[in-house]
Amino acid sequence: METKLWYRQPAKGFTESLPVGNGNLGAMVYGGYGEEKISLNSDTLWSGYPKKDRNVVHVPEEILNNVRELILQGEYHKAEKLVEERMLGTWNESYVSMGTLKLKYLDPSLPVNYRRELDLATAIAGTNIETREGKINSEVFISAKAQALIINITSEGKPLSLEVTLESSLRFELSQGETGALLLQGIAPSHVEPNYIPADHPVLYDEKNRGIRFCIQADVSETDGKIIRSQEAVTILEATRVTLVITAENGFRGYNKALEASYEALEYNCNKRYQLLKNTLYQQLREDQIEEHDSLFGRVKFDLFEEGISDGQQPIDRLSVDELPVDERLERIKQGKEDKGLIELLFQYGRYLLICSSRDSGILTQPPNLQGIWCEDVRSVWSSNWTTNINLEMNYWLSGVCNLSECDLPLIRMLEELKEAGEATARESLHSRGFAVNHNVDLWRQTAQVGGEVKYAFWPMAGVWLCSHLYQHFLFTGDLEFLEEKALPVMKASAYFCLDWLKEGKDGLLHTCPSTSPENTFYDKDGRECSVSYSSTMDIALIRELFCNLAEVLDILDAEAALAKQLMAAIDKLPGYKIGVHGQLQEWIEDFEECDSGHRHFAHLVGFHPFNQINQKDTPELVAAVKSTIERRIENRKIHIGWNCAWLVNFYARLGDGNKAEHCLKQLLGYSVYDNLFDLHPPLGENEGEREIFQIDGNFGATAGIAEMLLQSHLGTISLLPALPSSWGKGRITGLRARGGAEVDLEWEEGKLSKAVIKPMANQEIRLEYDTAFAVFSNDIPVECSYIKEGSRQITKFNGTRRDSFTVRPKTMSK
């Protein structure tokens, strides 16, 4: 199983450096010698401050009604102009870099051998340097238990001397703390304009409305060298071992709470963490780190076996390929060569990044934003915010199936806060009950429309989509207490918004109006580019999903029958899916000509994936339309975008086409990852200030797609190896989780399932789907099964019991 990224040289930039994190503290390790650089982030360090009425964009009801009248008259362009003038708001805030730790080696010897690596299985980044005078080894990790960055450096041969300094791109001062530690005290801006908005003063520090204060403390917990402390640095001389502890604290206390204004309080919290672990030996800290990380990462193992890899000329032993550094392996992929180990690595990298960026580290821990928790900018691309029209949702597609449901908790807490914050948006902008969230969210829980173009700024459906993650969390965990206390209140509030936002049309159906399909546009009857119409396919799919899920929740909890009845009545009046002139699934209520037939978004396909409203069993004609849509988009696309490619992997997995899913994975590795495997998002060419950027959703989406190729459970059955590529002839994956909570292990040879192990979470009926029927055993004793044939697929049913293990092997189905 591939778990190490390694390289022959130090990182030259951010997208070559290696990420470590514990959910709220993140770092990028460069592996430098002479000078080492480690950039630092705190997941709650953003520009801005608590501000009343942040989510109030007051839209008079008369204006909303005028927009609706224009749309229903077919005056889409006029309606869009009115929305732009009267229904948009101001920009959200930005995630910012906290600072940089630098280690300057004094009198370093020239290296003769070098290796740096990140071990995903331990979450430790290491650098090994050989010189003519000895060896220097360093290890870096961020402890979830200790809430600190730990650096351990050892020297064999010549003793080392190094200088430790801190700096920041924000306003800061250095000092020697009360305990002698090196202390950086800084403050984030009061406001940062998005990078794509021209501004004379894009980064603002307002003395009246000050931003978030923060502290970084660096100190030595263990060394055999001499320590010299000053206001600017900590210097260690003639040491063979050094352990550094870096702690950080900022003044954020909640999106609607006053900031901590006392640097003394922040320093106290930093030092408190240091004092708790300063007497703990490094080896113990390391062992605690590995044990804690393995409790999550070690649940799933993935291996693709083979005797050799076709290199176009002659078979190459896989081991020799696996022993190449990642950057060289990526170059081989670009040359059209094979590397199954990189597929394993990409899969586990997504799991690793979610563990590092979405932990239950406290009530303030945030979900991963566009860059997870790793960002070196003050004015980052797209503000490094939470973009909620696909990107935040994609971040969590992997959590359930990849056995990381605990990582959902920061998203769940965010949704509870969005429910509170979004009530003003629903009330003041949309004249509805419940809560609404538009396409950009920041630390301060902005739910209102931002400024800019209507095609992205006006889209009040984010809360509706995010509610599906609450239901999915329940399906994977079976947690009834969560369902009743956490999920139900948020889902109900979102449903109230939808019930008010839907308006009955002349056709007797319920419609959303105005409506956009995220970031896409069409031509109106006069050939003008427009984004506003009514009842976009995505709107209706999201509402249908929410209503169906909530009705199911109410049934499970035996609650509010009247509301369930209202929801089911509304479902019956929602517009259906339509197929357009090109055989595609229509994106809008009318079959408009889209301005960009290769557009990056697949908004109108959410009913197919991640939902299951469109599926081969119930709606084969719509599946064919989905396939036509995908092919048309690919044929006309202009650039490769990582998250777009990752979604294609998931689409083809749902379509049962493993070879095309694998092809998309190869394209992602060939065009859309950096040398450190971070997902790459190119400039779109739509605004000034755009530049190439790391965007984490493509990493998460790729991992989810690989899992989807091997296990699906969205139609009440557990489908085994539903989209196995022909080149993945032999393999094994253990620890995946199906909806219903069953843990699933799979083994296959010559492209066919040879064995599966099912471990139910509860007493439940297990329905397995595959090409053939199965014989099932528990402790080598045959289990009674029943069999159903559905088309070319066989369904094997048996009663699973909690905590038992059931071994499954293919059998010949008797006629």
Side-chain angles (χ1 to χ4, degrees), residues 748-769:
W748 63 94
E749 296 184 20
E750 297 181 353
K752 295 292 184 182
L753 184 75
S754 56
K755 177 184 175 182
V757 177
I758 313 296
K759 302 170 188 175
M761 181 181 66
N763 297 335
Q764 60 190 124
E765 181 184 73
I766 302 294
R767 294 168 54 92
L768 301 179
E769 181 184 23

PDB file of all heavy atoms in Angstrom, residues 748-769:
ATOM      1  N   TRP A 748     -10.101  -9.015  -5.172  1.00  0.00           N
ATOM      2  CA  TRP A 748     -10.451  -9.456  -6.514  1.00  0.00           C
ATOM      3  C   TRP A 748      -9.212  -9.938  -7.265  1.00  0.00           C
ATOM      4  O   TRP A 748      -8.091  -9.529  -6.972  1.00  0.00           O
ATOM      5  CB  TRP A 748     -11.167  -8.350  -7.294  1.00  0.00           C
ATOM      6  CG  TRP A 748     -10.369  -7.107  -7.538  1.00  0.00           C
ATOM      7  CD1 TRP A 748      -9.612  -6.808  -8.637  1.00  0.00           C
ATOM      8  CD2 TRP A 748     -10.239  -5.959  -6.671  1.00  0.00           C
ATOM      9  NE1 TRP A 748      -9.029  -5.570  -8.523  1.00  0.00           N
ATOM     10  CE2 TRP A 748      -9.388  -5.018  -7.324  1.00  0.00           C
ATOM     11  CE3 TRP A 748     -10.759  -5.640  -5.410  1.00  0.00           C
ATOM     12  CZ2 TRP A 748      -9.065  -3.797  -6.756  1.00  0.00           C
ATOM     13  CZ3 TRP A 748     -10.412  -4.428  -4.844  1.00  0.00           C
ATOM     14  CH2 TRP A 748      -9.596  -3.514  -5.512  1.00  0.00           C
ATOM     15  N   GLU A 749      -9.453 -10.845  -8.195  1.00  0.00           N
ATOM     16  CA  GLU A 749      -8.401 -11.388  -9.055  1.00  0.00           C
ATOM     17  C   GLU A 749      -8.936 -11.522 -10.466  1.00  0.00           C
ATOM     18  O   GLU A 749     -10.112 -11.852 -10.662  1.00  0.00           O
ATOM     19  CB  GLU A 749      -7.920 -12.750  -8.550  1.00  0.00           C
ATOM     20  CG  GLU A 749      -7.246 -12.713  -7.192  1.00  0.00           C
ATOM     21  CD  GLU A 749      -6.709 -14.073  -6.786  1.00  0.00           C
ATOM     22  OE1 GLU A 749      -6.517 -14.923  -7.681  1.00  0.00           O
ATOM     23  OE2 GLU A 749      -6.489 -14.286  -5.583  1.00  0.00           O
ATOM     24  N   GLU A 750      -8.082 -11.235 -11.434  1.00  0.00           N
ATOM     25  CA  GLU A 750      -8.447 -11.304 -12.847  1.00  0.00           C
ATOM     26  C   GLU A 750      -9.727 -10.525 -13.127  1.00  0.00           C
ATOM     27  O   GLU A 750     -10.566 -10.925 -13.922  1.00  0.00           O
ATOM     28  CB  GLU A 750      -8.599 -12.763 -13.293  1.00  0.00           C
ATOM     29  CG  GLU A 750      -7.294 -13.549 -13.190  1.00  0.00           C
ATOM     30  CD  GLU A 750      -7.444 -14.985 -13.652  1.00  0.00           C
ATOM     31  OE1 GLU A 750      -8.592 -15.414 -13.935  1.00  0.00           O
ATOM     32  OE2 GLU A 750      -6.423 -15.678 -13.740  1.00  0.00           O
ATOM     33  N   GLY A 751      -9.855  -9.394 -12.422  1.00  0.00           N
ATOM     34  CA  GLY A 751     -10.992  -8.512 -12.647  1.00  0.00           C
ATOM     35  C   GLY A 751     -12.301  -8.987 -12.062  1.00  0.00           C
ATOM     36  O   GLY A 751     -13.345  -8.380 -12.320  1.00  0.00           O
ATOM     37  N   LYS A 752     -12.281 -10.046 -11.237  1.00  0.00           N
ATOM     38  CA  LYS A 752     -13.501 -10.592 -10.648  1.00  0.00           C
ATOM     39  C   LYS A 752     -13.368 -10.663  -9.130  1.00  0.00           C
ATOM     40  O   LYS A 752     -12.303 -10.983  -8.603  1.00  0.00           O
ATOM     41  CB  LYS A 752     -13.782 -11.991 -11.194  1.00  0.00           C
ATOM     42  CG  LYS A 752     -14.079 -12.029 -12.684  1.00  0.00           C
ATOM     43  CD  LYS A 752     -15.414 -11.354 -13.011  1.00  0.00           C
ATOM     44  CE  LYS A 752     -15.758 -11.466 -14.482  1.00  0.00           C
ATOM     45  NZ  LYS A 752     -17.044 -10.772 -14.799  1.00  0.00           N
ATOM     46  N   LEU A 753     -14.456 -10.386  -8.445  1.00  0.00           N
ATOM     47  CA  LEU A 753     -14.459 -10.461  -6.999  1.00  0.00           C
ATOM     48  C   LEU A 753     -14.157 -11.891  -6.556  1.00  0.00           C
ATOM     49  O   LEU A 753     -14.789 -12.841  -7.021  1.00  0.00           O
ATOM     50  CB  LEU A 753     -15.814 -10.019  -6.446  1.00  0.00           C
ATOM     51  CG  LEU A 753     -15.925  -9.952  -4.925  1.00  0.00           C
ATOM     52  CD1 LEU A 753     -15.185  -8.729  -4.400  1.00  0.00           C
ATOM     53  CD2 LEU A 753     -17.383  -9.919  -4.480  1.00  0.00           C
ATOM     54  N   SER A 754     -13.208 -12.034  -5.667  1.00  0.00           N
ATOM     55  CA  SER A 754     -12.894 -13.367  -5.140  1.00  0.00           C
ATOM     56  C   SER A 754     -13.372 -13.535  -3.708  1.00  0.00           C
ATOM     57  O   SER A 754     -13.683 -14.655  -3.278  1.00  0.00           O
ATOM     58  CB  SER A 754     -11.386 -13.615  -5.209  1.00  0.00           C
ATOM     59  OG  SER A 754     -10.662 -12.602  -4.530  1.00  0.00           O
ATOM     60  N   LYS A 755     -13.453 -12.421  -2.969  1.00  0.00           N
ATOM     61  CA  LYS A 755     -13.882 -12.519  -1.572  1.00  0.00           C
ATOM     62  C   LYS A 755     -14.304 -11.144  -1.077  1.00  0.00           C
ATOM     63  O   LYS A 755     -13.721 -10.128  -1.445  1.00  0.00           O
ATOM     64  CB  LYS A 755     -12.732 -13.053  -0.706  1.00  0.00           C
ATOM     65  CG  LYS A 755     -13.029 -13.141   0.783  1.00  0.00           C
ATOM     66  CD  LYS A 755     -11.783 -13.580   1.536  1.00  0.00           C
ATOM     67  CE  LYS A 755     -11.985 -13.562   3.042  1.00  0.00           C
ATOM     68  NZ  LYS A 755     -10.759 -13.949   3.779  1.00  0.00           N
ATOM     69  N   ALA A 756     -15.322 -11.129  -0.243  1.00  0.00           N
ATOM     70  CA  ALA A 756     -15.714  -9.912   0.462  1.00  0.00           C
ATOM     71  C   ALA A 756     -15.997 -10.271   1.909  1.00  0.00           C
ATOM     72  O   ALA A 756     -16.404 -11.402   2.218  1.00  0.00           O
ATOM     73  CB  ALA A 756     -16.948  -9.273  -0.169  1.00  0.00           C
ATOM     74  N   VAL A 757     -15.779  -9.324   2.789  1.00  0.00           N
ATOM     75  CA  VAL A 757     -16.120  -9.486   4.196  1.00  0.00           C
ATOM     76  C   VAL A 757     -17.025  -8.326   4.588  1.00  0.00           C
ATOM     77  O   VAL A 757     -16.675  -7.153   4.363  1.00  0.00           O
ATOM     78  CB  VAL A 757     -14.869  -9.522   5.089  1.00  0.00           C
ATOM     79  CG1 VAL A 757     -15.264  -9.611   6.563  1.00  0.00           C
ATOM     80  CG2 VAL A 757     -13.966 -10.684   4.715  1.00  0.00           C
ATOM     81  N   ILE A 758     -18.192  -8.653   5.140  1.00  0.00           N
ATOM     82  CA  ILE A 758     -19.187  -7.649   5.524  1.00  0.00           C
ATOM     83  C   ILE A 758     -19.319  -7.661   7.037  1.00  0.00           C
ATOM     84  O   ILE A 758     -19.553  -8.715   7.642  1.00  0.00           O
ATOM     85  CB  ILE A 758     -20.563  -7.936   4.885  1.00  0.00           C
ATOM     86  CG1 ILE A 758     -20.428  -8.253   3.388  1.00  0.00           C
ATOM     87  CG2 ILE A 758     -21.518  -6.782   5.133  1.00  0.00           C
ATOM     88  CD1 ILE A 758     -19.902  -7.136   2.545  1.00  0.00           C
ATOM     89  N   LYS A 759     -19.177  -6.487   7.649  1.00  0.00           N
ATOM     90  CA  LYS A 759     -19.287  -6.370   9.104  1.00  0.00           C
ATOM     91  C   LYS A 759     -20.394  -5.362   9.416  1.00  0.00           C
ATOM     92  O   LYS A 759     -20.152  -4.148   9.417  1.00  0.00           O
ATOM     93  CB  LYS A 759     -17.963  -5.907   9.708  1.00  0.00           C
ATOM     94  CG  LYS A 759     -16.789  -6.836   9.393  1.00  0.00           C
ATOM     95  CD  LYS A 759     -15.461  -6.204   9.793  1.00  0.00           C
ATOM     96  CE  LYS A 759     -14.290  -7.037   9.312  1.00  0.00           C
ATOM     97  NZ  LYS A 759     -12.992  -6.384   9.574  1.00  0.00           N
ATOM     98  N   PRO A 760     -21.634  -5.858   9.651  1.00  0.00           N
ATOM     99  CA  PRO A 760     -22.755  -4.938   9.887  1.00  0.00           C
ATOM    100  C   PRO A 760     -22.581  -4.132  11.172  1.00  0.00           C
ATOM    101  O   PRO A 760     -22.013  -4.610  12.158  1.00  0.00           O
ATOM    102  CB  PRO A 760     -23.968  -5.866   9.985  1.00  0.00           C
ATOM    103  CG  PRO A 760     -23.535  -7.139   9.319  1.00  0.00           C
ATOM    104  CD  PRO A 760     -22.073  -7.257   9.600  1.00  0.00           C
ATOM    105  N   MET A 761     -23.090  -2.890  11.141  1.00  0.00           N
ATOM    106  CA  MET A 761     -23.064  -2.037  12.320  1.00  0.00           C
ATOM    107  C   MET A 761     -24.252  -2.338  13.229  1.00  0.00           C
ATOM    108  O   MET A 761     -24.222  -2.062  14.425  1.00  0.00           O
ATOM    109  CB  MET A 761     -23.105  -0.567  11.876  1.00  0.00           C
ATOM    110  CG  MET A 761     -23.070   0.440  13.005  1.00  0.00           C
ATOM    111  SD  MET A 761     -23.139   2.135  12.376  1.00  0.00           S
ATOM    112  CE  MET A 761     -24.797   2.149  11.662  1.00  0.00           C
ATOM    113  N   ALA A 762     -25.321  -2.895  12.647  1.00  0.00           N
ATOM    114  CA  ALA A 762     -26.543  -3.178  13.396  1.00  0.00           C
ATOM    115  C   ALA A 762     -27.161  -4.452  12.831  1.00  0.00           C
ATOM    116  O   ALA A 762     -26.732  -4.965  11.793  1.00  0.00           O
ATOM    117  CB  ALA A 762     -27.519  -2.006  13.274  1.00  0.00           C
ATOM    118  N   ASN A 763     -28.145  -4.975  13.535  1.00  0.00           N
ATOM    119  CA  ASN A 763     -28.904  -6.090  12.988  1.00  0.00           C
ATOM    120  C   ASN A 763     -29.711  -5.563  11.806  1.00  0.00           C
ATOM    121  O   ASN A 763     -30.573  -4.703  11.978  1.00  0.00           O
ATOM    122  CB  ASN A 763     -29.833  -6.686  14.047  1.00  0.00           C
ATOM    123  CG  ASN A 763     -29.072  -7.278  15.212  1.00  0.00           C
ATOM    124  OD1 ASN A 763     -27.910  -7.669  15.072  1.00  0.00           O
ATOM    125  ND2 ASN A 763     -29.707  -7.360  16.365  1.00  0.00           N
ATOM    126  N   GLN A 764     -29.427  -6.053  10.629  1.00  0.00           N
ATOM    127  CA  GLN A 764     -30.047  -5.493   9.441  1.00  0.00           C
ATOM    128  C   GLN A 764     -29.995  -6.479   8.283  1.00  0.00           C
ATOM    129  O   GLN A 764     -29.140  -7.373   8.250  1.00  0.00           O
ATOM    130  CB  GLN A 764     -29.311  -4.200   9.027  1.00  0.00           C
ATOM    131  CG  GLN A 764     -27.843  -4.420   8.703  1.00  0.00           C
ATOM    132  CD  GLN A 764     -27.055  -3.140   8.519  1.00  0.00           C
ATOM    133  OE1 GLN A 764     -26.059  -2.916   9.187  1.00  0.00           O
ATOM    134  NE2 GLN A 764     -27.496  -2.285   7.614  1.00  0.00           N
ATOM    135  N   GLU A 765     -30.910  -6.303   7.338  1.00  0.00           N
ATOM    136  CA  GLU A 765     -30.846  -7.095   6.115  1.00  0.00           C
ATOM    137  C   GLU A 765     -29.752  -6.517   5.227  1.00  0.00           C
ATOM    138  O   GLU A 765     -29.687  -5.322   4.989  1.00  0.00           O
ATOM    139  CB  GLU A 765     -32.179  -7.064   5.369  1.00  0.00           C
ATOM    140  CG  GLU A 765     -32.149  -7.908   4.092  1.00  0.00           C
ATOM    141  CD  GLU A 765     -33.430  -7.821   3.287  1.00  0.00           C
ATOM    142  OE1 GLU A 765     -33.666  -6.761   2.664  1.00  0.00           O
ATOM    143  OE2 GLU A 765     -34.195  -8.808   3.292  1.00  0.00           O
ATOM    144  N   ILE A 766     -28.896  -7.379   4.739  1.00  0.00           N
ATOM    145  CA  ILE A 766     -27.825  -6.990   3.833  1.00  0.00           C
ATOM    146  C   ILE A 766     -28.209  -7.426   2.425  1.00  0.00           C
ATOM    147  O   ILE A 766     -28.550  -8.585   2.194  1.00  0.00           O
ATOM    148  CB  ILE A 766     -26.486  -7.642   4.238  1.00  0.00           C
ATOM    149  CG1 ILE A 766     -26.105  -7.260   5.674  1.00  0.00           C
ATOM    150  CG2 ILE A 766     -25.390  -7.255   3.256  1.00  0.00           C
ATOM    151  CD1 ILE A 766     -25.791  -5.805   5.877  1.00  0.00           C
ATOM    152  N   ARG A 767     -28.158  -6.479   1.493  1.00  0.00           N
ATOM    153  CA  ARG A 767     -28.452  -6.760   0.079  1.00  0.00           C
ATOM    154  C   ARG A 767     -27.184  -6.480  -0.723  1.00  0.00           C
ATOM    155  O   ARG A 767     -26.759  -5.327  -0.818  1.00  0.00           O
ATOM    156  CB  ARG A 767     -29.607  -5.888  -0.429  1.00  0.00           C
ATOM    157  CG  ARG A 767     -30.947  -6.179   0.221  1.00  0.00           C
ATOM    158  CD  ARG A 767     -31.975  -5.094  -0.112  1.00  0.00           C
ATOM    159  NE  ARG A 767     -32.105  -4.896  -1.539  1.00  0.00           N
ATOM    160  CZ  ARG A 767     -32.993  -5.520  -2.308  1.00  0.00           C
ATOM    161  NH1 ARG A 767     -33.850  -6.384  -1.765  1.00  0.00           N
ATOM    162  NH2 ARG A 767     -33.056  -5.270  -3.605  1.00  0.00           N
ATOM    163  N   LEU A 768     -26.594  -7.522  -1.285  1.00  0.00           N
ATOM    164  CA  LEU A 768     -25.368  -7.392  -2.062  1.00  0.00           C
ATOM    165  C   LEU A 768     -25.671  -7.530  -3.538  1.00  0.00           C
ATOM    166  O   LEU A 768     -26.423  -8.427  -3.945  1.00  0.00           O
ATOM    167  CB  LEU A 768     -24.355  -8.466  -1.651  1.00  0.00           C
ATOM    168  CG  LEU A 768     -23.921  -8.489  -0.183  1.00  0.00           C
ATOM    169  CD1 LEU A 768     -22.951  -9.625   0.060  1.00  0.00           C
ATOM    170  CD2 LEU A 768     -23.302  -7.154   0.225  1.00  0.00           C
ATOM    171  N   GLU A 769     -25.076  -6.651  -4.340  1.00  0.00           N
ATOM    172  CA  GLU A 769     -25.285  -6.660  -5.789  1.00  0.00           C
ATOM    173  C   GLU A 769     -23.969  -6.916  -6.495  1.00  0.00           C
ATOM    174  O   GLU A 769     -22.945  -6.303  -6.187  1.00  0.00           O
ATOM    175  CB  GLU A 769     -25.867  -5.317  -6.249  1.00  0.00           C
ATOM    176  CG  GLU A 769     -26.125  -5.256  -7.749  1.00  0.00           C
ATOM    177  CD  GLU A 769     -26.602  -3.893  -8.202  1.00  0.00           C
ATOM    178  OE1 GLU A 769     -26.331  -2.906  -7.474  1.00  0.00           O
ATOM    179  OE2 GLU A 769     -27.217  -3.802  -9.266  1.00  0.00           O
TER     180      GLU A 769
END
